[in-house]
Amino acid sequence: MAASVVVLAAAPIAKPNCPDRCGDVKIPYPFGTRKGCYLDPFYFINCTDDNSNKTLQPIHGNVVVRSISLDGHFEFSGYPASECYKNVNSIFYRITTFDSISYTQNVFVAVGCDTIAYLNGTKNGRNFSMGCMSVCQDSNDVVNGSCLGIGCCQVEIPRGLWDFTIEARSFSGHKEVWKFNPCSNAFIVKKDAFNFSTKYLHALYTNNSSFPMVVNWGIGIETCKIARSKSDFPCRGNSKCYDDFVDYNGYRCRCNPGYVGNQTSPMVAKIPRRE
């Protein structure tokens, strides 16, 4: 007897009669692009024209959304913090839009030959800071593709780092290296999405470069126990609620066994049984 083939239609990810994408980005509930399509205003995605007026781009707060996944990850375009020659004021780059940095999907990177960079935040309710340092005197010592401390360094990010700022500093104001490296730069970037080039020593700041960054998201700020009493509680039908206050505020929903789809609402589809 020939084996049967299971065909599963794609389950909806947005609320009924609501757009499920903006440009090339899928927009799953509890997010939405218009009133009545998101859980509350925090999850509003402003779907607007980009600078070319040719493509729609999703904006959340002040960041450009690159993707939203139902497993609780939110990817957007982030910019470096920089300090440059004859400019002693660092740019403090603060992200509070969501919750914690995804420690599994990002790294912290510093670029420069007179550079010390800080990633500051809170962990376990206490202030936390870590850093990365790169010092060199000649651009010929810097190697394309290498981020091991000469012109570029990177470090892993600890789990549960919240409410963070990025700070770029220099030791001597780039006075000795300004001709080939006028700026210190620091940023968080999605793993495998950044390949160091020696041209970044001079052009990273001036080119207004951005990099993909991933943070975690949850629903609301309450525990499942408290959220269940609310009329707009989304984990109904064939999904259940669970908490994880290490990586995000609030809660998330998970499909029951045998179901697939957007687990943040009852809009899930049953997986057909093989005969």
Side-chain angles (χ1 to χ4, degrees):
M1 181 182 294
S4 61
V5 177
V6 174
V7 178
L8 177 63
I13 63 170
K15 291 184 73 173
N17 302 315
C18 289
D20 63 358
R21 63 176 55 242
C22 176
D24 295 329
V25 179
K26 293 181 180 179
I27 310 296
Y29 186 80
F31 297 90
T33 59
R34 63 189 186 205
K35 191 173 182 179
C37 293
Y38 45 80
L39 181 63
D40 63 49
F42 178 83
Y43 299 96
F44 171 61
I45 301 294
N46 184 13
C47 187
T48 185
D49 291 333
D50 65 5
N51 294 332
S52 68
N53 294 320
K54 295 180 179 179
T55 305
L56 291 174
Q57 67 176 5
I59 307 292
H60 186 279
N62 61 352
V63 299
V64 178
V65 180
R66 299 171 67 104
S67 68
I68 305 172
S69 70
L70 289 172
D71 62 358
H73 293 114
F74 186 99
E75 182 177 324
F76 63 94
S77 298
Y79 293 87
S82 302
E83 179 182 276
C84 298
Y85 177 60
K86 293 187 177 180
N87 179 359
V88 298
N89 295 314
S90 287
I91 298 173
F92 290 81
Y93 184 54
R94 186 174 188 178
I95 301 296
T96 56
T97 305
F98 284 90
D99 298 312
S100 65
I101 310 168
S102 174
Y103 73 102
T104 60
Q105 298 198 41
N106 299 300
V107 289
F108 179 54
V109 176
V111 173
C113 276
D114 180 16
T115 297
I116 183 167
Y118 301 97
L119 175 59
N120 311 302
T122 60
K123 181 176 170 63
N124 299 324
R126 295 180 290 274
N127 292 335
F128 177 87
S129 185
M130 56 180 286
C132 192
M133 182 180 70
S134 172
V135 177
C136 42
Q137 296 181 328
D138 193 316
S139 60
N140 291 322
D141 296 327
V142 183
V143 179
N144 276 321
S146 174
C147 197
L148 300 177
I150 302 178
C152 177
C153 66
Q154 68 178 45
V155 292
E156 297 290 319
I157 295 171
R159 184 181 183 186
L161 187 62
W162 297 63
D163 191 19
F164 59 93
T165 62
I166 302 170
E167 183 181 356
R169 295 288 189 183
S170 66
F171 291 98
S172 60
H174 291 267
K175 294 177 182 178
E176 305 298 326
V177 297
W178 69 269
K179 289 185 179 180
F180 69 91
N181 176 222
C183 297
S184 296
N185 294 280
F187 50 94
I188 294 171
V189 61
K190 185 178 179 181
K191 288 182 178 179
D192 301 324
F194 172 71
N195 185 32
F196 174 68
S197 170
T198 56
K199 67 181 181 181
Y200 287 142
L201 291 177
H202 194 276
L204 187 62
Y205 177 76
T206 56
N207 285 352
N208 198 30
S209 300
S210 66
F211 302 97
M213 182 191 307
V214 182
V215 292
N216 304 303
W217 67 269
I219 304 172
I221 59 173
E222 310 96 348
T223 63
C224 292
K225 183 178 181 180
I226 296 174
R228 285 191 185 97
S229 64
K230 296 189 173 184
S231 60
D232 60 356
F233 179 59
C235 303
R236 299 180 184 273
N238 297 302
S239 63
K240 291 183 178 179
C241 184
Y242 67 101
D243 302 312
D244 179 359
F245 280 84
V246 175
D247 290 328
Y248 52 83
N249 279 317
Y251 58 90
R252 287 216 299 264
C253 309
R254 179 179 293 155
C255 289
N256 291 340
Y259 288 82
V260 67
N262 186 348
Q263 55 265 53
T264 62
S265 77
M267 298 175 295
V268 297
K270 190 173 180 64
I271 300 174
R273 182 179 298 174
R274 289 183 179 272
E275 300 295 339

